[in-house]
Each structure stands twice: as C-alpha cells, then as structure tokens.
Amino acid sequence: MATQEPVASDTKEKDVISTEKSPSKIDYEEILKTEEKISSADEKDPELDGIPDIVKEIVSMEDDPTLPTLTFRYFLLSFIFVGLGAFVSQLSWFRTTTAPYSLFFVQICTHWAGRWLHDVLPAKEINIFGFKFNLNPGPFSIKEHVLITLSASSGATSNLREIIVSVKDLFYHEQMHPLGAIALMISTIWTGYSFAALARNFLIYDPDLIWPSALMQTTLYRTLRSDGVFDASSRKQMKIFWFVLAGVFVWEFFPEYIFPFTSSLAVLCWIAPYNDTVAFVGSGLGGMGVLNFTLDWSNITSSIMLYPWWTQVTIFAAFVLNVWILVPMSYFGNLWGGRDFPIMSNKLFTGEGSKYPFQKLITSDLKFNETAYAEYGPVYMGSYNLWTIFFGYCTFISAFMYIGLFAGPKLLKTFKRVYKREKRAEPDKLNKLMAAYPEVPTW
C-alpha cells in the first residue's frame, strides 16, 4: 500500500498540472454544463411549453423596451431604401421579367449603414418647431434595424391601385387627376392595413403559428447583431454568407452573359431536336419542362426553401397535376381549341388565333362596344393561362375550407375574445414580452 500511495498522489498532481495547462478544456466543459442547465430550465418553464422548438431555438426570449426605435437614423434609412424599392418594384410592373427587391439586401445594407451613422453623426439635440430629437441617441439598436426592414417590406412594394391609373392612361388615354389617383392609392393602403390589423388578433398571438420566412430573417438579425458567446459562430456564419454571395455573384455572369444555354438544359430536346412533341414535353421555355435543368440561380429561386416540407410536397404535386397532366391533356386533346393558341402565352386571342383587339371594345365615350364584340367574338386564352386562372379561384375556396376545418374552433374562440374586448389568454413567454407594449387601436 505504501508503494501505491505516491503513485496515486503523483497521478493527481499530473491531472492538476494537465488541467492547468488546458484551460480551454475547462471552459468548454463549463459552457456545456451551463447550456445543459439552461436547456433543462427551459424545459421546465411552463411559459415555453406552447412554443414550438424551432422558435425557441431561433427567437430570443429577452427584450429591452428602452431601446430606441423611431430615431433620425430610422427615418433617414427608411426614406432611402423604401424609395429605392418602390422604384424597382414599380419598374417591374412594366416589364415581362421582374427584378425582385430583396429584403435580405435591405437587412444587410441597413445594418452596416446604421452602424456607420452611429459613428459619424454627432450626439446633438435638434429642435424643429418645438419637436426635439437627438441625431445620435446611442448605438444602432436591433429595433431600429427591424423597423427599417418592415418599412421597406411594406412601402417598397407597388400599390395595386396604381394599375388602374396606369391602364387608364396607357391603354385608354384617360388621365386621372393627381389628387384623385393619390387618394385612391392611399385608401387602398389604409383598407389593406385595416384588415391586417384585424387579422393580427388571430395570427400573431397564437404560439402554434410559425412564419418560416420571419424565422429566417430573425436568424439573420441575430447573426448580424449577436454578441457574447455567439461571437465566434457569428463570424463563421458571416464568412460563409460572404463567400456564397461572392460565388453566386460571379457565377451569375455565366448563365446570363457568357453561356446563356446553361439557364435551360433541356435533355429531351437534345435527344430528339426535330420532334415537336418531344420539344413540347422537354422544353422549359414554353413547354412542360420534363428533365429540364437549370444552372441559373435566378431561375431556381430560393423562396421554396422557406416552406415546410409538407408545403413543398403539396406545391410540387399541384405543379405535376397542372403542368404535366391537365395542360398537356388540354393541348393535345384540343380542349377549348387549345392547339390553336400558344400553350404558355398569357395574351388574349380571337377565335382565329390572332391577337385580340380589346381596345376596340370600348367606344369613344368609354362604353362597351357590343357591335365590335359581336364581330370579334369571345376571348380565348392559352391552355396554361386558363388552368392558372381556374386554380387561382380554387386557391381562395380551398384556403377558406382549410381554415374552417382545421382552425375553426380556435378562430371562433379568438373572435369571441376580441368582441368582448377581453385580454389575450395565451400564457407563453413571447406574448408576455409583447404585452409590455400598447395594443394597436381597433379603430
């Protein structure tokens, strides 16, 4: 036993020395233990029971109501990015190809622009007709950042009522008075936001309803602005982001300018280039697109990645039913005279296949010209456009049916609470955080 005791003590001393020489190992173990304690505490927290796991992993459960929000930086950056987005969105209405205004672009640019304004603006109080504000009230807060992106998402999109103003001017040469046009568009916005304010009682406060696109934006916010234990992971995420962005930017020159054929790789068309049926089935430009691949990121798009798996499956099944079954049946079966018109065209045609002169259906005093309609006959469309309109109407019906069947009792309960002006009953932590702020007035 005497010979074994020194060995044991020596081993202990060696263990102490080895642990003293590797503090990183100790820190790592402590971090793991701390995370386990936090996760176990979260599991026992009743306020987190009703929140989905993906929300608990992404959304921060802490809030500081004192952070600045409607600052000079917010109004300045909102004015710039809303104006830029409105111009791009409006331009897209008059083009066959659109240039989407990405909110991720706004998120990233305003993050750095806000930090730059914090560094250069003086902390000076301005008084304009009794209205006082500070040019630089402190560090650029995450709430300013979110508000700028929200402003861009709502204000940088085209107003639907401007279509009426544009069509009257371009096609019927009738210009609305500017005040009337502005009032029409403002009333549309107010009506839309009124319905949105009513719908938030049914959608925002329910912890079961998640919004995948909002969760992805939340992840980006936390990556850009995270601190403390997230520093190392945030730097890695930002490096990956910039590498991917640079790669996508460089690669886009190949399908757009250098090798345009890579934007539509129609395999079946290569096998039988002179067969019209094979060309229709395999072509991605005006055909069914079977075995048609693309290396152009703008054609692939990324919005589908935001949807849950069951939604992606449903969308693909609907695509197969519409484009690969119903449209070919209409075309090859000559349903509604489908073979007489371009199958993928979104234009209007006469029964003879020529472009429909719909402007001649309006008289000089803007009345319906029945004589001209009797001469040119009814309007015809391509098979794909017809099925698209049909499923567009079906979408509304199916949406209401789905909501009524699966969420009817919950919606009825919420409606009764709103009608009686009762307080929200959701006891989860996110609702308690939101309760610190005043509600949007119902009026």
Side-chain angles (χ1 to χ4, degrees):
M1 296 295 293
T3 58
Q4 292 177 357
E5 288 179 0
V7 175
S9 62
D10 291 343
T11 304
K12 291 180 180 179
E13 291 178 359
K14 290 179 181 179
D15 291 340
V16 173
I17 293 173
S18 63
T19 55
E20 289 178 352
K21 290 182 179 180
S22 58
S24 60
K25 182 178 180 181
I26 297 176
D27 294 340
Y28 180 69
E29 292 176 352
E30 289 179 354
I31 291 174
L32 288 178
K33 291 179 181 178
T34 303
E35 290 179 350
E36 290 177 358
K37 291 180 181 178
I38 295 174
S39 61
S40 62
D42 289 345
E43 291 176 357
K44 298 177 182 178
D45 191 349
E47 295 182 353
L48 300 176
D49 288 343
I51 300 177
D53 292 336
I54 188 174
V55 177
K56 289 189 286 188
E57 293 174 359
I58 294 177
V59 179
S60 174
M61 298 297 169
E62 297 179 358
D63 179 48
D64 183 6
T66 63
L67 288 177
T69 53
L70 300 178
T71 62
F72 172 77
R73 294 176 302 215
Y74 158 74
F75 286 104
L76 177 62
L77 295 178
S78 296
F79 179 81
I80 295 173
F81 285 93
V82 168
L84 176 62
F87 174 79
V88 173
S89 300
Q90 187 64 47
L91 185 65
S92 298
W93 277 104
F94 301 99
R95 294 172 55 87
T96 54
T97 56
T98 61
Y101 188 61
S102 173
L103 291 181
F104 297 106
F105 162 77
V106 177
Q107 279 183 278
I108 295 169
C109 290
T110 52
H111 169 69
W112 300 110
R115 295 181 62 176
W116 176 75
L117 289 176
H118 167 65
D119 294 335
V120 300
L121 287 177
K124 181 180 179 181
E125 190 173 86
I126 304 297
N127 189 343
I128 300 178
F129 302 110
F131 180 75
K132 299 180 181 179
F133 62 92
N134 197 315
L135 289 177
N136 196 351
F140 184 62
S141 71
I142 189 172
K143 294 189 177 182
E144 292 176 273
H145 194 186
V146 173
L147 283 173
I148 295 169
T149 309
L150 288 175
S151 299
S153 67
S154 58
T157 54
S158 180
N159 186 302
L160 293 179
R161 280 296 177 263
E162 61 82 22
I163 300 176
I164 297 177
V165 180
S166 302
V167 168
K168 286 171 67 68
D169 188 9
L170 294 175
F171 293 96
Y172 302 105
H173 310 292
E174 181 185 3
Q175 293 185 348
M176 289 186 64
H177 192 280
L179 289 179
I182 293 174
L184 176 65
M185 290 188 283
I186 291 179
S187 64
T188 304
I189 294 174
W190 282 351
T191 304
Y193 280 115
S194 298
F195 281 109
L198 295 175
R200 67 192 292 268
N201 291 289
F202 301 89
L203 301 176
I204 300 299
Y205 304 119
D206 191 343
D208 294 334
L209 297 176
I210 63 173
W211 305 89
S213 58
L215 290 178
M216 189 172 68
Q217 289 180 322
T218 302
T219 304
L220 181 56
Y221 283 125
R222 295 192 67 181
T223 301
L224 291 171
R225 308 188 59 85
S226 56
D227 51 10
V229 297
F230 296 102
D231 273 349
S233 62
S234 297
R235 284 194 292 269
K236 290 180 181 179
Q237 291 173 348
M238 288 306 299
K239 284 182 181 179
I240 294 174
F241 172 82
W242 290 117
F243 280 137
V244 172
L245 179 63
V248 171
F249 176 79
V250 173
W251 171 254
E252 193 60 25
F253 284 95
F254 286 84
E256 287 288 343
Y257 303 106
I258 302 176
F259 303 116
F261 73 92
T262 58
S263 63
S264 179
L265 303 175
V267 177
L268 294 181
C269 295
W270 299 346
I271 299 174
Y274 302 108
N275 189 304
D276 293 338
T277 303
V278 174
F280 167 73
V281 174
S283 174
L285 303 174
M288 295 169 58
V290 177
L291 293 180
N292 183 84
F293 303 95
T294 180
L295 299 179
D296 188 349
W297 179 252
S298 62
N299 289 339
I300 297 172
T301 71
S302 59
S303 60
I304 191 67
M305 300 179 185
L306 306 179
Y307 303 148
W309 168 246
W310 66 270
T311 306
Q312 297 184 29
V313 173
T314 304
I315 292 174
F316 183 73
F319 167 80
V320 172
L321 175 64
N322 186 15
V323 180
W324 289 0
I325 298 178
L326 295 179
V327 172
M329 287 174 55
S330 305
Y331 182 73
F332 292 110
N334 201 28
L335 184 63
W336 306 309
R339 296 190 72 99
D340 297 332
F341 316 106
I343 186 170
M344 291 292 181
S345 176
N346 59 357
K347 296 180 179 179
L348 305 178
F349 302 95
T350 63
E352 299 176 353
S354 59
K355 184 178 178 180
Y356 200 95
F358 60 89
Q359 288 179 292
K360 294 184 178 180
L361 297 181
I362 303 296
T363 61
S364 57
D365 55 349
L366 302 180
K367 299 291 181 62
F368 178 65
N369 192 337
E370 297 183 6
T371 304
Y373 181 76
E375 178 183 353
Y376 295 108
V379 180
Y380 291 88
M381 303 180 187
S383 299
Y384 179 76
N385 200 18
L386 280 172
W387 281 115
T388 301
I389 295 175
F390 171 77
F391 282 112
Y393 286 110
C394 290
T395 300
F396 290 99
I397 300 174
S398 61
F400 286 116
M401 289 295 297
Y402 182 91
I403 293 172
L405 291 174
F406 293 96
K410 184 178 293 187
L411 291 176
L412 182 61
K413 182 180 178 181
T414 305
F415 177 78
K416 291 180 179 178
R417 177 183 58 79
V418 174
Y419 179 75
K420 295 179 180 179
R421 299 183 180 180
E422 297 176 353
K423 293 184 178 180
R424 299 194 302 268
E426 294 84 355
D428 62 279
K429 196 163 188 176
L430 287 176
N431 274 289
K432 288 191 174 182
L433 291 176
M434 289 190 289
Y437 302 94
E439 283 287 353
V440 176
T442 306
W443 61 265

